[in-house]
Amino acid sequence: MSSFIIEGNSRLSGDIYPQGAKNEALQIICAVLLTPEKVEVHNIPDILDIRNLILLLQKMGVKTERLSNEACSFQADSINIDYIYSEEYARNAASLRGSVLMVGPLLGRFGKAVLPQAGGDKIGRRRLDTHLTGLLALGAELNPGSQHHTYEITASRLTGKYMLLDEASVTGTANIIMAAVFAEGVTTIYNAACEPYIQQLSEMLNGMGAKIRGIGSNLLTIEGVKALHGTKHTILPDMIEVGSFIGMAAMTGSEITIKNTAYDKLGIIPESFRRLGIGLEKKGDDIYIPAQDKYQIETFMDGSIMTIADAPWPGLTPDLLSVMLVVATQAEGSVLIHQKMFESRLFFVDKLIDMGAQIILCDPHRATVIGLGNRQKLRCAKMVSPDIRAGIALLIAAMSANGTSRIDNIEQIDRGYQHIDERLNRLGARISRENAL
């Protein structure tokens, strides 16, 4: 288990470029399974989850060629489909949450897939009902797999159908789309997720010959086709990393510029940080954050306490609530953070309380933060990263705290943030890495 040692009270300065979007990359890289032709993908983040996914595809027979540090070509023209029934596949896929996105492409193109009990963050239940009900509606069958904790999904023929999803699941929508592009007839998906990453996936598939309409809305219509061809695709900048850098600048009183943010794809993220009192300015496609000694949380128009909650797009992504919560601890004023989707994601606040933050954990989904502003700095602490987003929030807290902090289990942070210590150190942070023996 590796660790970060963080010297607090560091001010950052300079420009930083966000990595390619992790959540989009997982979808896009799985989509290469839909064609035997070459697919070229650019702006791939160099993070643990993506490296593990590419390795899993290689073991299945996907040919990969590294074109640059951030680009790779994939060709799935000689897939060993029997590999998905192996114990090795079950073990490797179960350790990677993103492997669930292989189910739709495999089912659509080969008529069979194996669904392991996927791993990833320990943030509460992350049910797969939406994935399965959508695929079953297209004509798939589900049976217990030959390996422990797996399901085999088969379909001799997929047929388009109207479906109303029980939740606007991003990965569920992506899986259904990737299977439905080969379904006979027309598939209509209502209450579909419409995040920019789903839009990107749909545009890429259309570039490969799919026929998807309604992109950007929650009503998608997919006319099935017989085959898809190769394409080139560029992944968006990671909006979660953009938000993390905004929060980091505010907490450390730093002046930084976040470059090439795809600002028009950020939705309400910038405005949500402004509600916490953070000054930020759009400069072309960049975001400039000036150094601020203090920032004041807004109230609602009637004077009631500000509430920040996650919601399906175009609402606020749940992946940023951990960052916004830690940023609020050093603001002036109070805010209620309401994490609706995952019941364990706020449990890391006990570490912030140990550091001197004033937080009331109301229940598994809600926490009230009383911002102390400059009246009380956070104290250094020894912590363990429970998941990707809590990990980056704890790193932000440690960078602003008095003294030297330690964060263990930083493999969780590495799963989602590319060389984060090296990139921040170039801006003036003081983070050292202790690798596990």
Side-chain angles (χ1 to χ4, degrees):
M1 185 167 64
S2 299
S3 306
F4 280 149
I5 311 299
I6 307 105
E7 295 182 43
N9 271 330
S10 297
R11 289 218 172 189
L12 312 180
S13 178
D15 299 343
I16 192 164
Y17 290 79
Q19 67 188 32
K22 167 184 179 281
N23 292 339
E24 180 187 343
L26 292 170
Q27 298 176 26
I28 295 301
I29 292 172
C30 288
V32 307
L33 292 166
L34 288 166
T35 177
E37 297 185 17
K38 187 174 290 189
V39 176
E40 200 172 290
V41 183
H42 294 260
N43 202 28
I44 300 173
D46 183 18
I47 55 177
L48 190 59
D49 275 10
I50 299 302
R51 291 197 296 267
N52 287 339
L53 178 60
I54 292 174
L55 181 61
L56 190 60
L57 291 177
Q58 289 172 333
K59 289 178 178 292
M60 189 181 294
V62 177
K63 302 184 183 86
T64 62
E65 180 185 355
R66 178 62 65 176
L67 305 176
S68 70
N69 289 337
E70 297 181 347
C72 194
S73 70
F74 303 86
Q75 189 162 9
D77 59 346
S78 56
I79 295 296
N80 176 17
I81 194 63
D82 291 335
Y83 177 70
I84 66 174
Y85 299 109
S86 69
E87 182 179 346
E88 181 184 55
Y89 175 81
R91 181 176 63 253
N92 292 335
S95 67
L96 175 65
R97 181 77 189 178
S99 66
V100 70
L101 288 160
M102 298 171 65
V103 172
L106 290 173
L107 185 67
R109 183 176 167 201
F110 300 100
K112 57 184 71 175
V114 170
L115 178 65
Q117 183 176 347
D121 292 326
K122 306 302 181 186
I123 57 175
R125 294 173 297 167
R126 303 177 79 177
R127 62 189 183 91
L128 298 176
D129 299 52
T130 305
H131 301 247
L132 296 175
T133 54
L135 297 175
L136 294 177
L138 294 175
E141 295 183 0
L142 178 69
N143 295 291
S146 56
Q147 299 296 330
H148 188 51
H149 292 313
T150 64
Y151 290 96
E152 294 180 7
I153 307 173
T154 57
S156 58
R157 177 170 172 252
L158 294 176
T159 304
K161 188 175 181 179
Y162 171 88
M163 59 185 78
L164 174 60
L165 302 187
D166 63 337
E167 64 170 351
S169 164
V170 176
T171 52
T173 299
N175 249 338
I176 296 167
I177 290 172
M178 288 188 282
V181 292
F182 287 142
E184 296 179 14
V186 176
T187 299
T188 302
I189 309 173
Y190 199 17
N191 195 31
C194 53
E195 272 78 356
Y197 305 144
I198 290 291
Q199 298 174 35
Q200 287 280 102
L201 173 66
S202 299
E203 295 286 3
M204 172 186 166
L205 294 176
N206 278 353
M208 297 168 69
K211 298 179 180 179
I212 304 171
R213 301 192 303 276
I215 298 172
S217 76
N218 68 348
L219 180 62
L220 295 177
T221 304
I222 305 166
E223 183 180 344
V225 298
K226 296 294 185 182
L228 297 179
H229 53 74
T231 191
K232 294 182 180 179
H233 180 81
T234 299
I235 293 168
L236 286 174
D238 195 312
M239 66 171 70
I240 313 305
E241 209 180 53
V242 171
S244 300
F245 293 149
I246 294 172
M248 197 173 290
M251 281 282 282
T252 58
S254 301
E255 178 185 5
I256 69 170
T257 299
I258 310 170
K259 306 289 287 184
N260 299 346
T261 64
Y263 191 95
D264 293 340
K265 298 288 189 179
L266 294 177
I268 65 170
I269 289 174
E271 185 57 35
S272 298
F273 279 102
R274 289 190 181 102
R275 286 187 160 190
L276 294 180
I278 299 171
L280 56 93
E281 182 181 345
K282 179 180 183 293
K283 292 188 174 182
D285 203 30
D286 304 338
I287 295 177
Y288 169 71
I289 304 104
Q292 292 179 250
D293 291 329
K294 61 180 181 179
Y295 45 101
Q296 176 77 44
I297 299 172
E298 295 180 2
T299 61
F300 286 117
M301 289 183 179
D302 63 358
S304 58
I305 185 173
M306 175 62 60
T307 299
I308 293 180
D310 58 339
W313 188 269
L316 182 64
T317 170
D319 285 345
L320 275 175
L321 285 191
S322 298
V323 171
M324 302 193 81
L325 185 149
V326 74
V327 170
T329 66
Q330 297 297 285
E332 294 184 354
S334 300
V335 63
L336 176 67
I337 301 293
H338 191 173
Q339 168 64 265
K340 298 176 182 178
M341 293 182 63
F342 304 113
E343 69 268 26
S344 301
R345 215 168 206 175
L346 296 181
F347 287 170
F348 79 102
V349 302
D350 61 335
K351 308 296 189 299
L352 299 175
I353 293 171
D354 289 344
M355 298 177 77
Q358 291 195 0
I359 304 172
I360 302 168
L361 187 60
C362 308
D363 55 46
H365 291 276
R366 297 178 301 162
T368 301
V369 184
I370 298 93
L372 300 175
N374 293 326
R375 299 190 302 277
Q376 183 174 319
K377 293 279 289 183
L378 296 180
R379 301 184 294 268
C380 59
K382 181 177 179 180
M383 302 166 278
V384 177
S385 175
D387 65 75
I388 300 174
R389 308 309 174 188
I392 200 68
L394 293 176
L395 179 61
I396 294 171
M399 290 171 63
S400 73
N402 286 325
T404 300
S405 298
R406 180 187 183 94
I407 303 177
D408 295 328
N409 194 32
I410 60 169
E411 289 82 2
Q412 286 286 357
I413 302 174
D414 288 337
R415 288 180 47 226
Y417 291 85
Q418 172 178 303
H419 312 304
I420 190 67
D421 50 333
E422 299 173 15
R423 296 159 68 204
L424 294 178
N425 285 342
R426 286 195 287 269
L427 297 183
R430 292 172 291 179
I431 305 168
S432 58
R433 178 185 293 261
E434 284 189 3
N435 290 319
L437 298 177

